[in-house]
Amino acid sequence: MNILFIMADQWRADCLGSAGHPLVATPHLDALAAQGVRCDRAFVQSAVCGPSRMCFLTGRYVHAHRSSWNGVPLPEDERTLDYYFSDAGYQVAGIGKVGYPADGERLPSLEAAGYDRARDRLAHPGSAWYERQQGGYAGFLRAHGYNSADPVNEFANTVITPSGRMLSGWDFRAAPHPLRVRAEHSRPAFQTDLAMRFIKEAKQPWLLQLSYIEPHWPIVAPAPYHAMYDRGQVPEPQRHPRELEHPLLEPFRTERRSRPLDSEWVWRSLRATYYGMMSLVDDQLGRLFHFLRAEGLWDQTVIVFVSDHGEYLGDHWLFEKELFYEQAVRIPWIMRSPGRTFDATRGQAIEAFVESVDLVPTLLDLCGLPLGHRLQGRSLVPLLRGESPGDWRRAVVTDWDYRFYGVGERLGIPPQRRRAWMIRDDRFKYVHFLDLPPMLFDLENDPAELHDLAQSGSYPDIIARKRLELLEWRMAHEDPSRSEWLRRRKGSSGVAVPADGTANYGPWGDPATEGVEEPIL
Amino acid sequence: MNILFIMADQWRADCLGSAGHPLVATPHLDALAAQGVRCDRAFVQSAVCGPSRMCFLTGRYVHAHRSSWNGVPLPEDERTLDYYFSDAGYQVAGIGKVGYPADGERLPSLEAAGYDRARDRLAHPGSAWYERQQGGYAGFLRAHGYNSADPVNEFANTVITPSGRMLSGWDFRAAPHPLRVRAEHSRPAFQTDLAMRFIKEAKQPWLLQLSYIEPHWPIVAPAPYHAMYDRGQVPEPQRHPRELEHPLLEPFRTERRSRPLDSEWVWRSLRATYYGMMSLVDDQLGRLFHFLRAEGLWDQTVIVFVSDHGEYLGDHWLFEKELFYEQAVRIPWIMRSPGRTFDATRGQAIEAFVESVDLVPTLLDLCGLPLGHRLQGRSLVPLLRGESPGDWRRAVVTDWDYRFYGVGERLGIPPQRRRAWMIRDDRFKYVHFLDLPPMLFDLENDPAELHDLAQSGSYPDIIARKRLELLEWRMAHEDPSRSEWLRRRKGSSGVAVPADGTANYGPWGDPATEGVEEPIL
């Protein structure tokens, strides 16, 4: 069984045709969901690219892998998806944004020592091994006639307005205008070409992580996707003036470029083009799925589609991600595995709580590989079979290390205290901050999360319970990588045996004999 | 400045003459305290040897270094006391029980790659490098005429009773009888000999970790220490029948050999000989301090004396350590640094909360070395100068991973949930268990910790506050080793700069201009 792990960047969970979005068309992902399952309550452990991806790749929570923000080194001894499958004999490759930060402090000495780092097989910081091998996107663009020293920026991230003015994709005003590359030369098309080349050349079984950068900002698209959706029809942002009363919101959104989205023209333009970027990716996936069928691989390949987190697009007065609203922490998750095993759930949506840390255990389980003691996620295989394990998680937890933002400094919070944890169950979402007020949302009565119940101070019992749940969740999820390694070898042995093996301690060896008085010796 | 770091094993904080113990004589440690300071509220982060020692050596909490029980591998990338000082040009050595478990999973490949592991300079699992170099204690015993294939057990851990019967030290009945070695051939004497040899040969500056195994069980001592204290006069155990109502207590104490200490003869005998072992170590320290003076090194050497945790000796119906009573988690901590800097506190006892993680930062600070971003403890230097930093910690936290004990299995608690956290401040000690009732003690009104207020259920507000404190402590003490590394290089940069450097996003670049409507381009 091959594995095609597709990851989009910043793709909101609600932006799937099959999930009922009023505008965005994703026919190929919808077809995939119709043949597999859609997990409608899938959540990330971090709403920031790097740490979220490290959870997907390690099967471990942020506090365990410790790469808590973009660029924070992943410790050398973390094992990643590629490591597990490469060791199991799979040919592995990564295309697109799959790189992760190496352990900057230790890497040079390890490399000098020739240490065989499994992750080198897949990726390096910045760009993927396979993409680099092909000369990269810049080379691809030049080969197709986009002559420039920097064709990625000059063509693939630049639009021309009707008056002939050129604008960078980083400029919000660029959103309604077409990129200077044709759709078949866009980055998703390039990556899809690479994916097909890899699949054609690869020895089976293979694992391919195909990571599209879209629909992450800059929000610009090639024709016809730039104008595919009418900005007059996009859903309006969900926001309420009282949200800005939380002391983090205004300084944070100011820092994170969110205030422009207060303008209706901006959120309408960004939303319409954001949807266009999704349809562009969806069309490329259609091409890839067609290719898999033509190659006879469709029924020998597990396909997973997820995103690393969502995007606000003006909801809650925010742009991009971070914080813990559903738009950021809930993600699309579609899985399709061939064969008859999962027929019971085909075409269905699963409501069980799924977390990003479940990816590695699920793929290992699907391929009959051992799960090992390091993993903190759970295999979704029982859910895919239609079972409802009684001990399935009842809440999801997301973590945010915001020491790298200016807002912590502005609010006078020391770096080690710039941390927030969210716990979300069926009914409530609770966010605990250090040195800032908490947030509490009743998702049943306020699914849009517009009314922070913690502000009113009238829910002390629920807040106390949520704090206890967070405390206990954290206690029960300490990193098992060292302790479980030993326990599984040693067992829960009870009484420690003295080094010399003479494990007697007098007549008291048998607890039934306690109370014996001074022995005659 | 040289550093002599002396660690005893299982030495209760109250067992120092200068701290007012009614029986035990420790004149040499008392003299050291008179010239330095005694920290009377020093606590360990774990009441188990291995994890506690790793906190001392790394300056990091158990959840950060992750060596959460004896033998749980210390991750390869943890930096230890010897690493810091070896890199700073100190000659470092460890004598006695200083070894720690190497990272079993990774060690072979790293060693094959020739990776320069700093910790190899100090110690290996089991016994210390320096001790091994000298042929070990067995060789020492043989050289002094103790002829045996296993002289350590046959002589140094065996007693002869008045009737001529031989008993292993592991047998509680051995406690009142003298070991078959003379005091000058006991292990503390052997280790002290080695320490003096190292100091004589070492190039200054040096750091020596001298780790005595005494007074850890087996509780036996050579003459005259075996009979130095009258067992009729030892303090009685502090225990109350209601303590056994906590569901963990009875199965745990049964597993951990505690029930024999219900017998008066047993606790009296063990207590008396335990004190004798302390006096044996104290006498050896007297010899070592005399040697330092004779060599002219007394005023060029920082001396620290601590223990890795305490010992119950029948208090709370327990033997050895674990759990969180003061007898286990509070330790002796004496520091003496030459020069005039600390004259203000000489001979005094400090009441500020000190934690084992403070050792590394304190020693680095005393020697003018940088503290770096990994350390979680704080330098005690301001306290030693007589200052009272306003932001000093107001509570100490101790962690217990009991997945390795039989009691978790017996109580039906899954391995990852066999965890307990303690927070102790001026007034209260709160212990949170997963799947078991908590414990709460009012240390002001019940310093002996005999009345668990959580049992009565009448202190919900205090318990809720303590849970919040634990939650927040944990959030604020996530492992900083990767995140702070990056933050200190990168800063809290605020807005992320796009890869191409064109960080403009239209007229909305300046937040003051939000509200701009559709631009004419």
Side-chain angles (χ1 to χ4, degrees), chain A residues 383-400:
Chain A
L383 301 178
L384 301 182
R385 279 206 203 96
E387 299 162 17
S388 301
D391 64 343
W392 197 260
R393 68 173 70 87
R394 294 182 189 168
V396 290
V397 172
T398 299
D399 188 351
W400 187 32

Side-chain angles (χ1 to χ4, degrees), chain B residues 294-337:
Chain B
E295 295 287 316
L297 292 167
W298 185 252
D299 284 325
Q300 296 165 42
T301 303
V302 173
I303 301 177
V304 188
F305 172 82
V306 299
S307 178
D308 58 350
H309 53 76
E311 156 71 81
Y312 288 115
L313 290 167
D315 289 336
H316 308 290
W317 310 98
L318 293 166
F319 178 49
E320 289 214 84
K321 58 264 183 178
E322 290 115 346
L323 282 162
F324 302 95
Y325 298 100
E326 295 286 279
Q327 290 88 348
V329 296
R330 194 165 74 85
I331 51 161
W333 186 308
I334 298 170
M335 290 194 76
R336 188 251 176 197
S337 192

Side-chain angles (χ1 to χ4, degrees), chain A residues 66 103 153 163 170 255 259 265 403 432 472 474 478-479 482 484 494-495 500 502 514 518 521, chain B residues 66 103 153 163 170 255 259 265 403 432 472 474 479 482 484 494-495 500 502 514 518 521:
Chain A
R66 296 174 288 166
D103 200 340
N153 274 300
S163 66
W170 297 111
E255 172 179 347
R259 290 176 66 172
W265 184 86
R403 80 182 67 215
H432 194 81
E472 297 213 324
R474 193 62 181 76
E478 289 286 23
D479 176 11
R482 273 34 183 221
E484 271 300 292
V495 174
D500 70 350
T502 59
E514 83 266 21
E518 179 164 4
L521 293 172
Chain B
R66 297 175 287 165
D103 201 339
N153 273 301
S163 66
W170 297 112
E255 171 179 350
R259 290 176 64 172
W265 185 86
R403 81 182 66 214
H432 194 80
E472 298 214 324
R474 194 64 181 76
D479 176 10
R482 274 33 184 221
E484 271 299 292
V495 174
D500 70 350
T502 61
E514 84 266 21
E518 178 165 4
L521 293 172

